[in-house]
Amino acid sequence: AAGVIQSPRHLIKEKRETATLKCYPIPRHDTVYWYQQGPGQDPQFLISFYEKMQSDKGSIPDRFSAQQFSDYHSELNMSSLELGDSALYFCASSPGLAGYTFGSGTRLTVV
Amino acid sequence: SQQGEEDPQALSIQEGENATMNCSYKTSINNLQWYRQNSGRGLVHLILIRSNEREKHSGRLRVTLDTSKKSSSLLITASRAADTASYFCATLTQGGSEKLVFGKGTKLTVNP
């Protein structure tokens, strides 16, 4: 069965650069979530989309933005990268209140 | 603010023993889920228990939920070295937006 696909798997960027992470949800899942997990930390909710509209926002810096496109894939854009942005970024999709499926994550390293 | 707090933060046991991890949360929930994460890898959904359920089993996993105490426990029976991972509880808040709030996780090490 198709899973949640995230790309790239690894990304290395320099400070002040911009990064774009992509997420392709499971077909027919209408909700996409983004989480950030710092080293040794628990995943923190960033933002979610339902039917291509932002549905909730967590502790997402103003330097970050995200959107969900007509094909339901989502992109997380991060600008003016800081060393502290180095983390695992997970995308998850869900058809409702249960059944979350997480992608394998994108490991972002800011140097 | 942190929703789920896990206890213990780290647990080391021998293969064949049982491992129990606890999670506490603060708000009313719709459901509580347990996830497993191998070091630096993706989150794998293990089991979901709804707010009106008290206990659930899946293979070697047993989850309990006590909504009066706002706590849950995950029991892994007959542990194996391959169970070594971090385990997180995550709650879906009742009446709120549909996002999971994760606890800090328990790092389980099963020694062969």
Side-chain angles (χ1 to χ4, degrees), chain B residues 25-57:
Chain B
Y25 57 91
K26 297 174 184 172
T27 62
S28 295
I29 62 170
N30 185 291
N31 64 58
L32 185 144
Q33 305 177 30
W34 284 91
Y35 287 81
R36 167 200 166 113
Q37 184 180 38
N38 283 24
S39 181
R41 306 289 292 276
L43 291 157
V44 176
H45 180 264
L46 294 176
I47 195 165
L48 178 152
I49 186 164
R50 292 184 168 79
S51 60
N52 61 352
E53 297 175 312
R54 292 296 167 258
E55 189 172 310
K56 204 161 181 179
H57 298 254

Side-chain angles (χ1 to χ4, degrees), chain A:
Chain A
V4 177
I5 307 296
Q6 288 188 248
S7 68
R9 291 294 302 273
H10 301 274
L11 189 58
I12 299 175
K13 290 285 186 178
E14 294 187 354
K15 281 194 302 184
R16 292 179 288 278
E17 284 193 318
T18 297
T20 298
L21 277 53
K22 297 184 180 183
C23 169
Y24 296 85
I26 290 175
R28 291 181 294 280
H29 279 197
D30 53 20
T31 309
V32 168
Y33 308 82
W34 286 96
Y35 288 81
Q36 176 193 56
Q37 185 180 27
Q41 303 295 313
D42 54 290
Q44 294 287 324
F45 171 73
L46 291 177
I47 196 167
S48 63
F49 293 88
Y50 170 71
E51 284 291 342
K52 294 160 278 186
M53 298 288 289
Q54 182 182 306
S55 55
D56 199 358
K57 200 170 181 179
S59 49
I60 183 170
D62 292 340
R63 299 178 289 107
F64 292 9
S65 65
Q67 61 183 114
Q68 187 176 31
F69 295 86
S70 58
D71 64 351
Y72 290 92
H73 94 272
S74 179
E75 294 184 3
L76 177 66
N77 297 293
M78 299 176 283
S79 62
S80 302
L81 287 169
E82 301 172 357
L83 295 178
D85 296 329
S86 295
L88 260 174
Y89 290 84
F90 288 106
C91 170
S93 72
S94 167
L97 290 176
Y100 285 76
T101 302
F102 281 81
S104 297
T106 293
R107 182 173 291 284
L108 172 67
T109 303
V110 182
V111 297

